[in-house]
Amino acid sequence: MESDRPLDALNASRNKKVLVELKNGKQVIGTLKAFDIHINTVLDNAEELEENQVKRKIGKVFLRGDTIILISPAE
Amino acid sequence: MESDRPLDALNASRNKKVLVELKNGKQVIGTLKAFDIHINTVLDNAEELEENQVKRKIGKVFLRGDTIILISPAE
Amino acid sequence: MESDRPLDALNASRNKKVLVELKNGKQVIGTLKAFDIHINTVLDNAEELEENQVKRKIGKVFLRGDTIILISPAE
Amino acid sequence: MESDRPLDALNASRNKKVLVELKNGKQVIGTLKAFDIHINTVLDNAEELEENQVKRKIGKVFLRGDTIILISPAE
Amino acid sequence: MESDRPLDALNASRNKKVLVELKNGKQVIGTLKAFDIHINTVLDNAEELEENQVKRKIGKVFLRGDTIILISPAE
Amino acid sequence: MESDRPLDALNASRNKKVLVELKNGKQVIGTLKAFDIHINTVLDNAEELEENQVKRKIGKVFLRGDTIILISPAE
Amino acid sequence: MESDRPLDALNASRNKKVLVELKNGKQVIGTLKAFDIHINTVLDNAEELEENQVKRKIGKVFLRGDTIILISPAE
C-alpha cells in the first residue's frame, strides 16, 4: 500500500496523532483532522510542546500551511 | 459533523471568539467575522494580548493572511 | 449588514481613517482611499507613528500589500 | 477625480518625483517613469537617501517590486 | 540514462536513502517515499542529524517543500 | 522614446554595463545579456563589488530574479 | 550565438562545471545536469565550498530553486 504522492501519505495520518513543527521553532501535537494542498492544517486536542513537555493546551487549531516545516505521526 | 477541509473547520468558528497568533509574535483575540482562501481574516472587538494580558483594544481589524501562524477557538 | 468576505469589511473603511501596521514594525495612519486583492493600499493624509506619536507626515502613500500586517479603523 | 484602485493612484505620480522605501531600510527618491502590477518600478534621476540626505546618485534605476514597502509623492 | 529534468533526478532516489537539508539548518536522513512539484517530500525511517550524529528518530515524516534547501542521495 | 513598462526600461540596458544590488547586500556589475519577467538576469564579464572596489571576477553569471533589489545602468 | 533568455544562458552550462551560491551563504560546485523554470537544479559530483576550499563532497544533489542566488560557470 505505497503512496506515491506526499498528500496521500499525510492522509494516512488523518484522525491520528501528529507532531507539527512550525517555522517559529514551536511544536504542536494533536489529532490531524483536515489539511489542504497548501498544507493548511487543522488539529484537534492540540497542545504546544517545549522540549517535549506540554507548555499549554490549545484545543482545536487551524495552522496556516506556510508556517509548517514538517508533520510526523506521533503515536 | 466532521469537516474534511481546513476552511470548513475555520468556518465553524465564525461569529465566535478566536485567538490569532501572528508571525511577528503578537497575539490578537476577537470575534471571527470573515476570512478568505488566503486566510485574510476580519476580527471584531479585537484586543492585542501580551503574556495573556490585554495590551490594547483594537476593535475591528483586518489581518493579512500571510501574517498569520494559527487561529484557535477562544471560548 | 454583515460582510462575509474580508475585503468587504475593508471596503467599509473606505474614505475613513485607518491605522496600518507594517511588517517592518512601523505604523501609518491615514484616510483609506483604495486597495486591491493583494491588499496594495493607498492612504491619503498619511502620517507615520512611533509609540502613538506622529513621527512624520507622508501625505499620499501607496503601500505594497505584502508589507502589511493589519488594517484597523482609527476613528 | 477619485481613483478606486491603488495602481490608478500610483499612475497619478507618473513623471513626478516620488520617494520609495525599500525592505532593506533604504530610501530612493526620483522621477517615477514606469511601474507594473508587481510594482516593479523605474525611477529616473534617482538618488539614495540616508536620514534625508543624498547618499549617492543612482540615475536611472529599475526596482524589483517585491523589495518595495511604499511609494509616496515627493514634490 | 540521463535525466533532463530535476524531478526525474529526484525520482531516481525514490525508495533510497537521502539526506535533506532544511532552511532552519536541520538535516533529516531517511528513505525517500514521495515528493511532488512543490518538493513536498515524504521520508520513511527518518532521523534528525546534528553534526552527522543521529539526534532523534522521527520515523515517517512529511516535509513541506518550501522548507527544503537540498536533497542528496545518502547511500 | 518613453517606455511605459519597467521591463522596457530594463531592455534599454541590454548589452550595456549595469549594477545589480542583491538582497544579501552584495553588488554585481556586468554587461546585461538577458532577463525575463521574473527578473532572472544574466550578466557577462561580471564582477562582485565591495565598497565600490572589485572583490572578485565572476565572468558569466545567472542571477535568480527574486534575489535582486535593483538594476541600474553603470556606464 | 546570443541568448536572449536567461534559461538559454543557463542551458549553455549543461554538463559543465558551475558554482552555485545559496541564500544560506553556502557555495556548491558541481556539474550542471538539469534545471527547470523554478531554477530547481541538479548537480553531479557536487562539493560544498568554504572560502574556496572543499568542505565536503556531496555527490549528486537536488537544489530547490528558491534557495539559489546565482549560478556561474566554473571552468
Side-chain angles (χ1 to χ4, degrees):
Chain A
M1 222 180 93
E2 289 288 297
S3 61
D4 278 2
R5 295 172 301 177
L7 297 202
D8 290 345
L10 211 51
N11 203 37
S13 289
R14 203 184 282 263
N15 292 314
K16 295 182 184 158
K17 215 172 168 180
V18 294
L19 176 71
V20 182
E21 290 194 12
L22 305 182
K23 288 185 183 160
N24 65 357
K26 292 189 178 170
Q27 291 185 318
V28 181
I29 200 164
T31 305
L32 180 62
K33 298 307 289 181
F35 61 88
D36 62 21
I37 55 163
H38 307 290
I39 322 303
N40 292 323
T41 298
V42 174
L43 302 182
D44 209 352
N45 300 314
E47 299 174 316
E48 193 185 322
L49 299 186
E50 208 169 51
E51 296 178 25
N52 298 314
Q53 303 294 321
V54 176
K55 190 185 159 194
R56 65 173 177 123
K57 287 178 185 296
I58 310 180
K60 197 152 198 162
V61 66
F62 171 96
L63 297 163
R64 196 173 191 269
D66 77 324
T67 201
I68 290 174
I69 295 176
L70 65 82
I71 302 175
S72 181
E75 53 186 17
Chain B
M1 222 180 94
E2 289 288 298
S3 62
D4 279 2
R5 295 172 300 178
L7 297 203
D8 290 345
L10 211 51
N11 203 36
S13 289
R14 204 184 282 262
N15 293 314
K16 296 182 183 157
K17 214 171 168 182
V18 294
L19 175 71
V20 182
E21 290 194 12
L22 304 183
K23 288 185 182 160
N24 65 357
K26 293 188 179 172
Q27 291 185 319
V28 181
I29 200 164
T31 306
L32 180 62
K33 297 308 288 180
F35 61 89
D36 62 21
I37 54 163
H38 306 291
I39 323 302
N40 292 323
T41 298
V42 174
L43 301 183
D44 209 352
N45 300 314
E47 300 174 315
E48 193 185 321
L49 299 185
E50 208 169 52
E51 295 178 26
N52 298 314
Q53 303 294 321
V54 176
K55 191 185 157 193
R56 65 172 176 124
K57 287 177 185 296
I58 310 180
K60 196 152 199 164
V61 66
F62 172 95
L63 297 163
R64 198 174 191 268
D66 77 324
T67 200
I68 290 175
I69 295 177
L70 65 81
I71 301 176
S72 180
E75 52 186 17
Chain C
M1 222 179 93
E2 288 288 296
S3 63
D4 279 2
R5 295 173 300 178
L7 297 203
D8 291 345
L10 211 51
N11 204 37
S13 289
R14 203 184 283 262
N15 293 314
K16 296 183 183 157
K17 215 171 169 182
V18 294
L19 176 71
V20 182
E21 290 194 12
L22 305 183
K23 288 184 183 161
N24 66 357
K26 291 188 179 171
Q27 292 185 319
V28 181
I29 201 164
T31 305
L32 180 62
K33 299 307 290 181
F35 62 88
D36 62 21
I37 55 164
H38 306 291
I39 323 302
N40 293 322
T41 298
V42 174
L43 301 183
D44 209 352
N45 300 314
E47 300 174 315
E48 193 185 321
L49 300 186
E50 207 168 52
E51 295 177 26
N52 298 315
Q53 303 295 320
V54 176
K55 192 184 157 193
R56 64 172 176 123
K57 288 178 185 295
I58 311 180
K60 196 153 199 161
V61 66
F62 171 95
L63 297 162
R64 198 173 190 269
D66 77 323
T67 200
I68 290 175
I69 294 176
L70 64 81
I71 302 176
S72 182
E75 51 186 18
Chain D
M1 220 179 94
E2 289 288 295
S3 61
D4 279 1
R5 295 172 300 178
L7 296 203
D8 290 345
L10 211 50
N11 204 36
S13 289
R14 204 185 282 262
N15 292 314
K16 296 183 182 156
K17 215 171 169 183
V18 294
L19 176 71
V20 181
E21 290 194 12
L22 304 183
K23 288 184 182 160
N24 66 358
K26 292 188 180 172
Q27 292 185 317
V28 181
I29 200 164
T31 305
L32 180 62
K33 298 307 289 181
F35 62 88
D36 62 21
I37 55 164
H38 307 291
I39 323 301
N40 293 322
T41 298
V42 174
L43 302 183
D44 209 352
N45 300 314
E47 300 174 315
E48 192 186 321
L49 299 187
E50 207 168 52
E51 296 177 24
N52 298 315
Q53 303 294 321
V54 176
K55 192 184 157 194
R56 66 173 175 121
K57 289 178 184 296
I58 310 179
K60 197 153 199 161
V61 66
F62 171 95
L63 298 162
R64 199 173 188 270
D66 77 324
T67 200
I68 290 174
I69 294 177
L70 64 82
I71 301 176
S72 182
E75 53 186 19
Chain E
M1 220 180 95
E2 288 288 296
S3 62
D4 278 2
R5 295 172 301 177
L7 297 202
D8 291 345
L10 212 49
N11 203 37
S13 288
R14 203 184 283 264
N15 292 314
K16 296 183 182 157
K17 214 172 170 181
V18 294
L19 175 71
V20 182
E21 290 194 12
L22 305 183
K23 288 184 183 160
N24 66 358
K26 292 187 179 171
Q27 291 186 318
V28 181
I29 200 164
T31 306
L32 180 62
K33 298 307 289 181
F35 62 89
D36 62 21
I37 55 164
H38 307 291
I39 322 303
N40 293 322
T41 298
V42 174
L43 302 182
D44 209 353
N45 300 313
E47 299 174 317
E48 192 185 322
L49 299 186
E50 209 169 51
E51 296 177 25
N52 298 314
Q53 303 295 320
V54 177
K55 189 185 159 194
R56 65 173 177 123
K57 289 179 184 295
I58 311 180
K60 196 153 199 162
V61 66
F62 171 96
L63 297 163
R64 197 173 191 268
D66 77 325
T67 201
I68 290 174
I69 294 176
L70 65 81
I71 302 176
S72 181
E75 53 186 17
Chain F
M1 220 180 94
E2 288 288 296
S3 61
D4 278 2
R5 294 172 300 178
L7 296 203
D8 291 345
L10 212 51
N11 204 36
S13 289
R14 203 184 283 262
N15 292 314
K16 296 183 182 157
K17 214 172 170 181
V18 294
L19 175 71
V20 182
E21 290 194 12
L22 304 183
K23 288 184 183 161
N24 66 357
K26 291 188 179 171
Q27 292 185 318
V28 181
I29 201 164
T31 305
L32 180 62
K33 298 307 288 181
F35 62 88
D36 62 22
I37 54 164
H38 307 290
I39 323 301
N40 292 322
T41 298
V42 174
L43 302 182
D44 209 352
N45 300 313
E47 300 174 314
E48 192 185 322
L49 299 187
E50 208 168 50
E51 296 177 25
N52 297 316
Q53 303 294 322
V54 176
K55 191 184 157 194
R56 65 174 176 122
K57 289 178 184 295
I58 310 179
K60 197 153 199 161
V61 66
F62 171 96
L63 297 163
R64 199 175 191 267
D66 76 324
T67 200
I68 290 175
I69 294 177
L70 63 83
I71 302 175
S72 181
E75 52 187 17
Chain G
M1 219 180 96
E2 288 288 297
S3 61
D4 278 2
R5 294 172 301 178
L7 297 202
D8 290 345
L10 212 50
N11 203 37
S13 289
R14 203 184 283 263
N15 292 313
K16 297 184 182 155
K17 215 172 170 181
V18 294
L19 175 71
V20 182
E21 289 194 13
L22 305 183
K23 289 185 183 160
N24 66 357
K26 292 187 180 172
Q27 292 185 317
V28 181
I29 200 164
T31 305
L32 180 62
K33 298 307 289 181
F35 62 88
D36 62 21
I37 54 163
H38 307 290
I39 323 301
N40 292 323
T41 298
V42 174
L43 302 182
D44 209 352
N45 301 313
E47 300 174 314
E48 192 185 322
L49 299 187
E50 209 169 50
E51 296 176 26
N52 298 315
Q53 303 295 321
V54 176
K55 191 184 158 194
R56 66 174 175 122
K57 289 178 185 295
I58 311 179
K60 197 154 199 162
V61 66
F62 171 95
L63 297 162
R64 198 175 191 267
D66 76 325
T67 200
I68 290 174
I69 294 177
L70 64 82
I71 302 176
S72 180
E75 52 186 16

